[in-house]
Amino acid sequence: MSGLPCARHLLSATAALALTLWLAPRSYADEPVDVELVLAVDVSLSMSAEELEIQRHGYAAALTHDNVLQAIADGAYGKIAVTYVEWAGTGWQHVIVPWTVIASRADAERVVAQLSAQPPNSARRTSISGALEFGSDLFAESGYQGTKHVIDISGDGPNNQGAPVNLVRDGVVSQGIVINGLPLMTRGGFSGVYDVNDLDRYYSDCVIGGAGAFMIPVNDWTQFPEAIRRKLVLELAGPASPYWVAEEADHPPVELAQDKPAADCQVGEKMWRNRNWMPGSR
C-alpha cells in the first residue's frame, strides 16, 4: 500500500501537464509554398485611369495564363502565395488582394475576382522605397513558408519621396528577398517634368536586387500583358529552368542586376526639389 500515494501523485502530475498543454495556445507551421510573391503596382497620379485599368487587366490575364499556371504546377510544392498591393507616396500602400495561395486555375480566378471587385484609386507622389519597405513587412504575416521571397515592383517614374531607394533596396535584399522590376516607360498621365529617359537603367541600378534579380522594361502599353506574363513565368521558374531558356530564345534578354550602380539613384528627389510647378503628380 505504500506505493499508492506515489501513483496518485504521478497521475495528478500527468493530468496537470495535459491540462496545461490543452490550455496553451496552439502554433501551426506555416504552409509551405514554392514562392511568396508581392505584386507591388504603382498607382501614382502620373498614370491615367485607363492605364490603371490596363495594369489590373494585365495582371489578371497573366495570373490565369497557361504558361504561368504550368510554371506554378511544376514547382516542388505546386503552389505559390501571392498578394497584390497598389502604392503611390510614402504613406499610401493598399492591399487589394491579401495573401492567397494559387495552386490551380480556380485559385487564380479567385484572385482575379478580387482584383476586379473595385476600380483602382490613385494618389500623389512616387515612393518606391516606401513600397519596398511595406512589401518586405508583408512576408512576416503571410502564413506561408516560401522557398523564395520576391517583390515584383512596377512603376513609371523614379523615387521622389521617402528614404533613398537604393539604401532601402539593399536592406530588403539583406533579408533574403529578391526584387524584380517592371519599369513603365509609356509616357502617359502627367508626364514631362518628372520623366526619366532611362528609367530601365534606373530600375536596374537602383531598384532591383538579390540573387537572379532582373527587370523587363515596357515601352508601350500594348506590351504590358505579355511583359507581366513573361515576368511571372521567369520569377516562378528561375534562371536554371527550361522556361527561362525558352523566354530568352523568343525575346530580347532580360537585364539582370548589375554589380556597380551607374544611374543617379537620387534623380527623382532632385527633380522634385527643382520643380518650377506643381501638377500634383507622382
Side-chain angles (χ1 to χ4, degrees), residues 70-94:
Q70 189 61 52
I72 293 173
D74 287 349
Y77 296 105
K79 55 186 175 181
I80 66 169
V82 63
T83 181
Y84 186 99
V85 179
E86 292 179 339
W87 59 273
T90 51
W92 207 97
Q93 300 93 21
H94 287 183

Side-chain angles (χ1 to χ4, degrees), residues 49-241:
E50 180 184 6
E51 290 168 341
L52 295 178
E53 287 294 341
I54 291 173
Q55 285 195 120
R56 285 275 189 96
H57 293 317
Y59 279 98
L63 287 169
T64 54
H65 194 281
D66 288 341
N67 291 4
V68 173
L69 294 174
Q70 189 61 52
I72 293 173
D74 287 349
Y77 296 105
K79 55 186 175 181
I80 66 169
V82 63
T83 181
Y84 186 99
V85 179
E86 292 179 339
W87 59 273
T90 51
W92 207 97
Q93 300 93 21
H94 287 183
V95 175
I96 306 302
V97 180
W99 284 109
T100 305
V101 70
I102 298 180
S104 66
R105 179 174 296 277
D107 294 335
E109 289 173 350
R110 279 192 288 271
V111 171
V112 169
Q114 293 181 75
L115 273 180
S116 308
Q118 295 180 357
N121 294 314
S122 58
R124 298 180 66 245
R125 305 295 293 271
T126 299
S127 183
I128 302 174
S129 57
L132 292 178
E133 289 176 330
F134 184 84
S136 65
D137 288 342
L138 291 176
F139 292 108
E141 59 190 53
S142 72
Y144 299 95
Q145 184 61 52
T147 57
K148 184 178 179 182
H149 291 175
V150 178
I151 297 177
D152 177 341
I153 191 158
S154 63
D156 73 340
N159 194 78
N160 63 32
Q161 190 179 41
V165 64
N166 56 317
L167 299 184
V168 171
R169 181 268 316 274
D170 293 344
V172 171
V173 169
S174 71
Q175 302 174 46
I177 300 169
V178 176
I179 304 168
N180 294 327
L182 194 79
L184 306 174
M185 301 186 292
T186 49
R187 301 296 188 271
F190 289 107
S191 61
V193 70
Y194 298 117
D195 282 337
V196 174
N197 290 329
D198 299 321
L199 187 63
D200 52 350
R201 172 55 59 182
Y202 176 87
Y203 260 68
S204 179
D205 293 339
C206 306
V207 179
I208 67 175
F214 65 91
M215 66 90 190
I216 300 178
V218 175
N219 296 297
D220 185 271
W221 281 109
T222 59
Q223 302 172 354
F224 187 79
E226 180 181 322
I228 289 295
R229 188 268 312 158
R230 184 184 178 206
K231 192 162 182 287
L232 287 176
V233 169
L234 295 179
E235 284 168 337
L236 300 177
S241 74

Side-chain angles (χ1 to χ4, degrees), residues 23-48:
L23 293 174
R26 298 183 181 184
S27 61
Y28 298 93
D30 290 340
E31 180 179 350
V33 294
D34 293 300
V35 180
E36 291 178 62
L37 178 62
V38 175
L39 299 174
V41 181
D42 181 8
V43 293
S44 58
L45 288 176
S46 51
M47 283 192 278
S48 67

